[in-house]
């Protein structure tokens, strides 16, 4: 057992001061009552918050179920009524992509999209969704944004605050702007996109002096909705209603960016300062084919075009006008139907004519010769015979 020493010099100041008396019982009771009240109020607020989140989650689940049902049933108007009509590009995107989104859900009649979590902020909400197929929980997750409109939740694009400011990623010939989760996807595919541009330039523009090609092609990935038919803006894959995996989103974004790059390049080779101003059928055909944008479901669309003769309209394809009002957007056709024809036309051109002839065709149009006049003089075929040869190609390649 050790010995403890306590030293003292005899100074009265070293004498220990008396300990304070314990608080009266009344003070303790008051403090305890205050803690009980605070706990009750805090618990009440917590329960109210939990109840609010539960109610919002249930309401959003109903909204999501309605969207999925509209897509599975192929009812476009029912879907549009569930979208936030304040954003015209947002409506335009889903109108143009309806057939693609509907086909995805129609192929999964037993799929369910479950709201796993909700974040609330004023009149907005963000829901974390997960795809269940056949009663099995998958790894496919999406975040959908909603805005309260007249007391009802409506599916809306993300806000700038939620997605963050755009960041530029530059390569030798490209300047790609992206924000939010799209930034990492763009960074992953940027090297392949630069290689694609260089390969396409060697094929069609290496021996030409083309104005504007010395500048980087600027393309922005926009999370608020955008036209999917050309221009320097492509829609974020996170806008899609399909619950794609991360690798599927990356593949879709890479495909859309290749299309935008090819459109910009062929438009420059035709002498246009921006895509799809003139001779859109030629730009779209070559761009879609060289971008390797083929989707297996397009075979059926091509067979239908052959059956009803609508493939002929593609050769008169004109650049789309600017439409901004939501009510006008509701009358627009689903332009996804033009993409299969564009690919088939590019396939026809590149398999029938050598690269040098196509280069000469682009140079002739760039010099001011009207498109079909250039086709007749350079390719040696009238428009009537060109259409007949293309139809034969469609029948042999895609006919039933």
């Amino acid at each position: 057992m050790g010995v403890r020493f306590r030293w003292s010099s005899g100074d009265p100041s070293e004498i220990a001061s008396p300990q304070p008396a314990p608080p009266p019982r009344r003070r303790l009771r008051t403090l305890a009552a205050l803690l009980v009240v605070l706990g009750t109020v805090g618990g009440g607020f917590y329960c109210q918050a939990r109840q609010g989140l539960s109610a919002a989650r249930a309401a959003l689940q109903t909204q999501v179920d309605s969207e999925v049902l509209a897509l599975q049933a192929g009812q476009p108007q029912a879907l549009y009524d569930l979208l936030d009509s304040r954003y015209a590009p947002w409506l335009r995107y889903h109108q143009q992509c309806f057939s693609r989104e509907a086909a995805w859900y129609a192929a999964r009649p037993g799929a369910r999209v479950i709201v796993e979590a909700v974040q609330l902020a004023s009149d907005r909400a963000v829901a974390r969704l997960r795809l269940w197929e056949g009663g099995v929980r998958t790894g496919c997750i999406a975040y959908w944004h909603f805005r309260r409109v007249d007391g009802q939740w409506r599916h809306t694009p993300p806000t700038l605050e939620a997605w963050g400011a755009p960041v530029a990623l530059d390569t030798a010939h490209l300047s790609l702007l992206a924000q939010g989760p799209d930034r990492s996807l763009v960074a992953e595919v940027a090297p392949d996109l630069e290689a694609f541009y260089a390969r396409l330039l060697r094929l069609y523009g290496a021996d030409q002096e083309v104005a504007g090609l010395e500048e980087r092609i600027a393309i922005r990935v926009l999370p608020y909705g955008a036209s999917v038919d050309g221009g320097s803006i492509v829609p974020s894959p996170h806008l899609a209603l399909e619950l794609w995996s991360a690798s599927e989103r990356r593949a879709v974004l890479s495909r859309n960016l290749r299309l935008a790059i090819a459109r910009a390049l062929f438009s420059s080779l035709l002498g246009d300062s921006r895509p799809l101003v003139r001779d859109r059928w030629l730009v779209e055909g070559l761009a879609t084919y060289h971008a390797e944008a083929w989707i297996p479901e397009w075979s059926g669309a091509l067979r239908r075009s052959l059956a009803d003769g609508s493939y002929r309209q593609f050769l008169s394809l004109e650049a789309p006008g600017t439409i901004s009002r939501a009510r006008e957007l509701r009358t627009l056709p689903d332009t996804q139907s033009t993409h299969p024809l564009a690919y088939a036309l590019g396939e026809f051109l590149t398999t029938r004519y050598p690269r040098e002839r196509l280069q000469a065709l682009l140079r002739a149009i760039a010099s001011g010769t009207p498109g079909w006049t250039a086709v007749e003089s350079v390719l040696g075929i009238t428009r009537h015979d060109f259409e007949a040869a293309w139809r034969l190609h469609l029948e042999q390649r895609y006919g039933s």
Side-chain angles (χ1 to χ4, degrees):
M1 180 177 179
V3 179
R4 298 180 62 190
F5 293 91
R6 181 175 181 181
W7 297 89
S8 174
S9 62
D11 188 338
S13 64
E14 295 182 1
I15 299 175
S17 59
Q19 297 295 320
R25 290 183 179 180
R26 180 180 299 174
R27 187 182 301 176
L28 289 175
R29 286 197 297 270
T30 301
L31 180 61
L34 180 61
L35 290 175
V36 170
V37 170
L38 291 175
T40 301
V41 173
F45 282 132
Y46 176 75
C47 290
Q48 289 180 2
R50 287 290 298 268
Q51 290 174 357
L53 281 174
S54 297
R57 180 175 174 180
L60 291 173
Q61 184 65 68
T62 300
Q63 164 82 10
V64 170
D65 290 342
S66 298
E67 292 187 41
V68 171
L69 181 61
L71 289 164
Q72 288 175 331
Q75 297 177 342
Q77 191 58 55
L79 174 68
Y80 305 150
D81 289 340
L82 298 169
L83 303 181
D84 190 347
S85 61
R86 189 169 67 174
Y87 301 94
W90 164 256
L91 286 174
R92 180 180 178 85
Y93 170 82
H94 288 293
Q95 188 155 20
Q96 290 178 312
C97 295
F98 180 82
S99 65
R100 187 203 70 203
E101 293 173 333
W104 193 88
Y105 280 98
R108 297 165 174 80
R112 286 220 57 201
V113 179
I114 302 299
V115 177
E116 289 190 328
V118 174
Q119 289 183 339
L120 290 177
S122 184
D123 64 341
R124 289 184 173 270
V126 181
R128 186 183 73 212
L129 311 178
R130 186 181 295 273
L131 177 68
W132 286 67
E133 288 194 89
V136 178
R137 183 174 183 265
T138 73
C140 298
I141 296 175
Y143 291 86
W144 287 7
H145 294 249
F146 298 88
R147 186 172 72 92
R148 197 185 296 274
V149 180
D150 297 330
Q152 301 292 324
W153 290 111
R154 291 293 177 258
H155 198 164
T156 194
T159 62
L160 176 61
E161 292 76 13
W163 224 246
V167 176
L169 193 155
D170 293 341
T171 67
H173 299 95
L174 309 173
S175 182
L176 308 172
L177 276 73
Q179 55 203 102
D182 294 323
R183 288 181 295 181
S184 59
L185 295 180
V186 170
E188 291 178 26
V189 301
D192 291 338
L193 295 175
E194 173 63 28
F196 168 73
Y197 175 88
R199 182 170 64 253
L200 204 57
L201 186 61
R202 286 194 301 269
L203 280 174
Y204 288 97
D207 58 348
Q208 302 182 50
E209 294 182 3
V210 183
L213 290 186
E214 67 276 2
E215 299 179 357
R216 286 190 178 95
I217 295 176
I219 301 173
R220 182 177 178 183
V221 181
L222 197 67
Y224 317 116
S227 170
V228 295
D229 281 335
S232 59
I233 295 177
V234 301
S236 165
H238 291 88
L239 291 179
L241 298 182
E242 300 98 325
L243 262 69
W244 288 322
S245 65
S247 60
E248 287 172 326
R249 287 195 184 97
R250 184 170 56 250
V252 168
L253 180 60
S254 178
R255 170 185 177 272
N256 288 341
L257 287 170
R258 290 196 306 271
L259 271 170
I261 292 166
R263 285 165 173 155
L265 175 60
F266 282 116
S267 294
S268 295
L269 293 172
L270 286 174
D272 289 330
S273 59
R274 59 189 180 90
L276 308 184
V277 175
R278 293 187 301 141
D279 302 300
R280 186 185 175 204
W281 63 273
L282 182 58
V283 171
E284 283 292 279
L286 292 175
T288 306
Y289 179 75
H290 283 290
E292 299 177 354
W294 174 257
I295 297 175
E297 291 78 8
W298 285 357
S299 293
L302 290 173
R303 284 193 293 271
R304 290 190 293 273
S305 295
L306 273 170
D308 60 21
S310 59
Y311 71 94
R312 299 185 184 91
Q313 299 173 8
F314 184 78
L315 298 181
S316 301
L317 198 63
E318 297 178 354
T322 301
I323 301 177
S324 58
R325 289 173 299 198
R327 65 179 180 83
E328 291 177 326
L329 289 174
R330 292 177 182 270
T331 65
L332 290 176
D334 184 336
T335 53
Q336 292 288 304
S337 60
T338 64
H339 295 170
L341 292 169
Y343 182 93
L345 180 62
E347 181 183 55
F348 166 71
L349 286 168
T350 54
T351 55
R352 181 182 177 92
Y353 300 102
R355 176 174 58 92
E356 294 77 15
R357 297 279 292 281
L358 296 178
Q359 280 183 325
L361 175 63
L362 295 172
R363 284 196 299 268
I365 296 175
S367 68
T369 305
W372 287 108
T373 302
V375 167
E376 186 166 357
S377 62
V378 175
L379 302 185
I381 188 172
T382 65
R383 177 170 178 170
H384 179 272
D385 291 340
F386 184 95
E387 181 181 299
W390 183 36
R391 177 182 177 84
L392 181 61
H393 173 82
L394 290 173
E395 291 174 342
Q396 294 176 340
R397 185 78 172 82
Y398 302 103
S400 56

